[in-house]
Amino acid sequence: MKLTFAIQGGDFIHAGHPSSEVKKVLKQLNIDNKIIKNVVIALYEAEVNVVAHAYSGTVNVEIDENKITILVTDEGPGIPDIDLAMKPGYSTASKSVQEMGFGAGMGLPNIKKNTDEMWLETEVGKGTKVKMLNYFS
Amino acid sequence: MTEQTQYHALKVDAIKCIGCTHCMKSCPTEAIRVIKGLAVIDHESCVDCGQCHRVCPTNAFYVEQDDLAKIRGFKYRVILFPSIMIGQFPEKYSENQIYEGLMKIGFTHVYEVEQPLQLLIDSVKEYCANPVNTKPAISAYCPAIIRLIQSRYPSLTENIILRKAPYDLAAHFAIERFMLEGAQRDEIGLFYATPCIAKIASVKSPGGERESIVDGIINMNHLYNEVMKVISEDEAEDHSIQRQNLSSEGVLWSLTRGESRNFGSRSMAIDGIHNVVRFLERLENDQVKGIDFLELRACDQSCAGGILLTGNRFMNVERLERRARRYPLAKDIPFSNIKVDVEKLKQKLIIDSIHPKPVFIFGKDRIKAMEKIDRAQRIVCFLPGIDCGACGAPNCHALADDMVNNKAKMSDCIFLQQMWEDEGRITPNKAFLNVQKKWGTNRFKADCNKKGRRNEGF
Ligand SMILES: Nc1ncnc2c1ncn2[C@@H]1O[C@H](COP(=O)(O)OP(=O)(O)OP(=O)(O)O)[C@@H](O)[C@H]1O
Ligand code: SF4
Ligand code: SF4
Ligand code: SF4
Ligand SMILES: [Mg+2]
């Protein structure tokens, strides 16, 4: 089954809606709580990255019997150095974003930690794609 | 082991219910549907928060309780009640007058449950200090919250503090006390005065435990009525000996921040079931950091807002806050007052375990559930999205879910019906009969005395 959501850049108020919806569905599918938690944390971080660093984005979720695949695509500045961005603690977040409690540089590492597989594709000046995969067992 | 169905004390009076949908719309777990013009509660989803009872304009909900006459069979007839009970009486009646009133209606002993509270405070502190226990620790005080977590936030079940509520403490304390005086266990009748249906459910089907320790439950509003009939207008004799273990913290315990002020370096208190739902959503998403103690209560103003309380909840709070000032701090009450074996009592406060009890509205088969969710999502595209409730479901989404579960039909949506009529797919007469079947013939009769009219108050 498929789910789709839109994310608005800069809209911190509504960040978290897609992860909550995905969580609701996974709960109804009797997925292990620990796995739900991992998926929700990873998706939330990816959502917030679009909100904090990009202009707009979409979340495409595909769930089958054994796994959930989430693709978060954004139009935004892209990431010049992926290895650097993946480093825990590295952040280019603006002061105003930091004041809202984001920008610890832990988002991407957290996604890595909470997914079974993760791919990052980016083009500077265009946008970024984060793909996340979690198996249900 | 087969799973026992939860006991629910709340029932709908079919004569009084006018099918107005208010309860259905305010239920936090979407447990209510209006079927044939009457509210029907789904017992698997209901968490006994009492929200529906609160919003019903016709008082159609009633609460089952044990007969007060049941106390007669015992030599020691003990009424256990949370301190909040005192708060609802008019100012002019003193604690002694209220105690005496309770004895006039047949009780031999009157016990406020929040004593000896220091034992519970110590026990919870001990639990929270243990690093193996999940943070934030969530109080097990409000049974509606426990049910909510078990059914809707199962992953947070492990955060619940495995310590009982004051009423268990007092029940065990009372038993031990009377046994010391030479009483036999079967001579002691313990009756609990409840402020809410959640406590009734937890006493009648305690979460994963042995049988309940009290012998009966009396609704607090009923008790209030009975006491008001006999209460004397003159100062009564001194019953303070029965409150010698009552502390300032105890008096405040059932109010908002009553627990949280005692625990953790960063604690929070949230009251009101809808507030709690929103917060648990965040907590489950790991968006709440650094909090170590959570007090969550289903009612606005906590138990002062319990549905079985009489009087205004804010006034109840005010009276209790003033009352609390007259009582010593729990730590200053000498342990020698307790008299019974403290270690034994402490042991009784421990809950063995609380298990998740998730509700799967689409069934447990994952493939089938996925198909159903998919179908429901497609159905939602055709529904108007105004959540009018005229279909008998709380919102369009819930109707779509009901449809894929074969509990509702497309034609239940009055908008779709209208469209089909316009397209000539259904005759106007058939459409009318459909709505009439759903809501009953009376719905279409003119009636100037309809309940819920605009001028019925605010
Ligand atoms: N979608 C994106 N578009 C553009 N840049 C991004 C995007 N996601 C991450 N980045 C860049 O990678 C850096 C590291 O991201 P990461 O999520 O790890 O930390 P953060 O977002 O800065 O802080 P935190 O996630 O802890 O609040 C960001 O500061 C940003 O420069
Ligand atoms: S709120 Fe309305 S529908 Fe619900 S029980 Fe009361 S009268 Fe019936
Ligand atoms: S008690 Fe609460 S959960 Fe149960 S039906 Fe009423 S509003 Fe819903
Ligand atoms: S807050 Fe108190 S009165 Fe309300 S449901 Fe919970 S325990 Fe009962
Ligand atoms: Mg980030």
Side-chain angles (χ1 to χ4, degrees):
Chain A
M1 60 176 294
K2 292 185 169 111
L3 301 160
T4 316
F5 308 92
I7 314 174
Q8 198 53 50
D11 184 4
F12 284 95
I13 302 164
H14 296 106
H17 171 70
S19 39
S20 277
E21 289 301 310
V22 168
K23 182 182 69 181
K24 250 182 239 164
V25 170
L26 293 182
K27 275 201 223 171
Q28 282 308 322
L29 296 179
N30 197 3
I31 307 297
D32 186 86
N33 288 323
K34 299 246 168 359
I35 295 168
I36 297 183
K37 207 165 180 173
N38 291 342
V39 172
V40 168
I41 292 172
L43 176 54
Y44 183 70
E45 291 289 2
E47 273 179 65
V48 171
N49 274 353
V50 176
V51 174
H53 309 297
Y55 317 134
S56 69
T58 47
V59 178
N60 288 294
V61 182
E62 216 178 310
I63 304 172
D64 65 31
E65 198 187 343
N66 308 309
K67 63 180 185 301
I68 173 168
T69 322
I70 304 178
L71 180 65
V72 180
T73 317
D74 70 52
E75 287 169 26
I79 304 173
D81 184 339
I82 291 185
D83 290 339
L84 192 59
M86 288 296 299
K87 277 215 174 86
Y90 175 80
S91 175
T92 61
S94 65
K95 234 193 156 73
S96 65
V97 168
Q98 282 174 1
E99 271 161 11
M100 279 184 279
F102 303 99
M106 290 311 293
L108 292 175
N110 243 343
I111 296 176
K112 179 105 201 138
K113 199 174 87 190
N114 284 287
T115 49
D116 291 321
E117 286 169 46
M118 167 195 182
W119 300 266
L120 213 156
E121 246 179 73
T122 181
E123 194 175 330
V124 174
K126 276 207 143 154
T128 304
K129 279 184 192 172
V130 180
K131 196 170 158 188
M132 303 172 267
L133 190 151
N134 287 68
Y135 293 101
F136 293 150
S137 52
Chain B
M1 209 177 77
T2 53
E3 213 160 283
Q4 279 220 301
T5 46
Q6 181 87 3
Y7 173 82
H8 296 283
L10 203 61
K11 303 277 163 349
V12 181
D13 182 336
I15 310 270
K16 286 186 179 167
C17 173
I18 54 166
C20 69
T21 76
H22 291 181
C23 56
M24 176 176 88
K25 297 225 143 199
S26 72
C27 172
T29 62
E30 296 183 347
I32 299 179
R33 296 293 181 272
V34 176
I35 300 172
K36 295 206 168 81
L38 282 184
V40 178
I41 303 175
D42 171 40
H43 283 199
E44 212 198 338
S45 297
C46 172
V47 298
D48 292 300
C49 69
Q51 192 60 23
C52 50
H53 180 287
R54 212 170 265 126
V55 299
C56 176
T58 68
N59 289 321
F61 291 97
Y62 63 94
V63 180
E64 286 182 339
Q65 66 170 346
D66 290 322
D67 190 352
L68 201 50
K70 212 175 148 186
I71 71 174
R72 310 241 179 275
F74 299 93
K75 184 169 165 204
Y76 296 80
R77 302 182 290 276
V78 190
I79 181 74
L80 302 165
F81 62 86
S83 175
I84 192 80
M85 164 122 167
I86 299 287
Q88 57 181 342
F89 282 91
E91 202 67 41
K92 62 175 182 177
Y93 298 117
S94 70
E95 288 160 38
N96 285 329
Q97 280 164 292
I98 298 166
Y99 269 54
E100 195 182 65
L102 286 162
M103 296 173 92
K104 276 189 190 160
I105 62 174
F107 293 102
T108 57
H109 295 80
V110 181
Y111 262 77
E112 291 189 50
V113 297
E114 295 91 354
Q115 50 182 342
L117 196 68
Q118 191 60 43
L119 297 190
L120 185 61
I121 295 179
D122 289 345
S123 189
V124 170
K125 277 193 175 150
E126 214 177 277
Y127 184 90
C128 294
N130 188 341
V132 306
N133 294 324
T134 316
K135 288 274 145 68
I138 300 176
S139 162
Y141 178 87
C142 175
I145 299 299
I146 298 187
R147 281 284 300 157
L148 180 74
I149 291 176
Q150 286 178 304
S151 61
R152 299 285 149 155
Y153 304 94
S155 69
L156 298 174
T157 308
E158 62 181 41
N159 294 56
I160 300 174
I161 299 171
L162 295 174
R163 292 297 180 271
K164 291 179 185 165
Y167 116 85
D168 296 283
L169 167 72
H172 289 290
F173 179 47
I175 291 173
E176 297 294 321
R177 275 295 267 272
F178 293 126
M179 304 277 258
L180 267 188
E181 286 176 22
Q184 300 295 314
R185 178 63 186 91
D186 58 4
E187 292 175 327
I188 310 168
L190 297 177
F191 294 84
Y192 179 61
T194 180
C196 62
I197 53 170
K199 292 271 183 198
I200 302 180
S202 84
V203 171
K204 298 233 166 174
S205 38
E209 280 178 74
R210 302 148 296 263
E211 62 190 62
S212 157
I213 109 166
V214 297
D215 301 282
I217 299 191
I218 316 287
N219 296 346
M220 216 178 259
N221 51 3
H222 179 63
L223 211 52
Y224 177 84
N225 256 342
E226 294 302 305
V227 170
M228 285 302 276
K229 282 185 207 158
V230 299
I231 197 162
S232 81
E233 296 295 325
D234 309 314
E235 185 45 55
E237 71 173 276
D238 184 5
H239 293 100
S240 58
I241 183 82
Q242 307 197 49
R243 306 188 278 277
Q244 63 172 342
N245 284 295
L246 190 62
S247 58
S248 168
E249 293 97 321
V251 172
L252 296 174
W253 200 257
S254 52
L255 301 182
T256 302
R257 290 211 67 78
E259 290 175 277
S260 66
R261 73 176 88 228
N262 298 290
F263 306 114
S265 56
R266 283 181 68 189
S267 64
M268 281 176 79
I270 298 164
D271 59 5
I273 189 80
H274 291 290
N275 297 334
V276 171
V277 164
R278 273 189 293 267
F279 184 81
L280 289 178
E281 216 37 66
R282 280 180 169 263
L283 183 62
E284 199 182 42
N285 292 1
D286 221 18
Q287 293 163 23
V288 180
K289 312 271 185 204
I291 301 295
D292 40 31
F293 182 91
L294 277 176
E295 168 197 309
L296 307 175
R297 308 275 178 86
C299 301
D300 180 27
Q301 300 300 313
S302 294
C303 302
I307 59 168
L308 300 177
L309 246 76
T310 308
N312 177 279
R313 59 186 183 279
F314 299 104
M315 284 159 73
N316 291 349
V317 171
E318 199 272 342
R319 178 163 187 186
L320 282 170
E321 280 175 346
R322 261 186 307 114
R323 184 179 185 223
R325 281 182 225 137
R326 289 190 280 112
Y327 282 83
L329 291 175
K331 66 173 171 47
D332 295 335
I333 298 174
F335 259 43
S336 57
N337 276 10
I338 301 178
K339 297 197 174 72
V340 306
D341 183 346
V342 168
E343 278 317 307
K344 192 168 164 196
L345 213 50
K346 265 189 142 171
Q347 211 50 43
K348 305 261 190 203
L349 292 177
I350 295 171
I351 303 173
D352 304 332
S353 59
I354 296 179
H355 296 293
K357 287 182 192 156
V359 174
F360 299 111
I361 56 172
F362 300 108
K364 283 186 179 162
D365 181 325
R366 187 180 298 163
I367 303 271
K368 282 199 185 123
M370 239 154 50
E371 280 166 17
K372 283 184 181 175
I373 296 173
D374 235 359
R375 255 172 59 217
Q377 271 174 343
R378 265 178 281 131
I379 292 172
V380 164
C381 306
F382 296 93
L383 300 177
I386 56 170
D387 298 342
C388 64
C391 54
N395 52 60
C396 299
H397 265 276
L399 178 68
D401 293 348
D402 287 354
M403 283 183 196
V404 300
N405 283 325
N406 295 323
K407 288 178 183 161
K409 303 186 301 294
M410 278 288 194
S411 58
D412 286 332
C413 172
I414 55 168
F415 271 75
L416 283 186
Q417 277 225 91
Q418 198 75 29
M419 219 166 72
W420 291 348
E421 233 182 289
D422 183 53
E423 292 168 359
R425 290 166 62 184
I426 173 175
T427 65
N429 182 251
K430 171 81 178 137
F432 180 77
L433 286 177
N434 272 343
V435 180
Q436 203 175 49
K437 212 163 107 193
K438 187 104 200 151
W439 292 94
T441 43
N442 285 341
R443 274 290 131 184
F444 297 92
K445 285 196 186 126
D447 176 5
C448 298
N449 295 318
K450 256 192 200 107
K451 281 275 186 181
R453 286 166 309 147
R454 188 190 274 163
N455 295 334
E456 273 207 337
F458 296 97

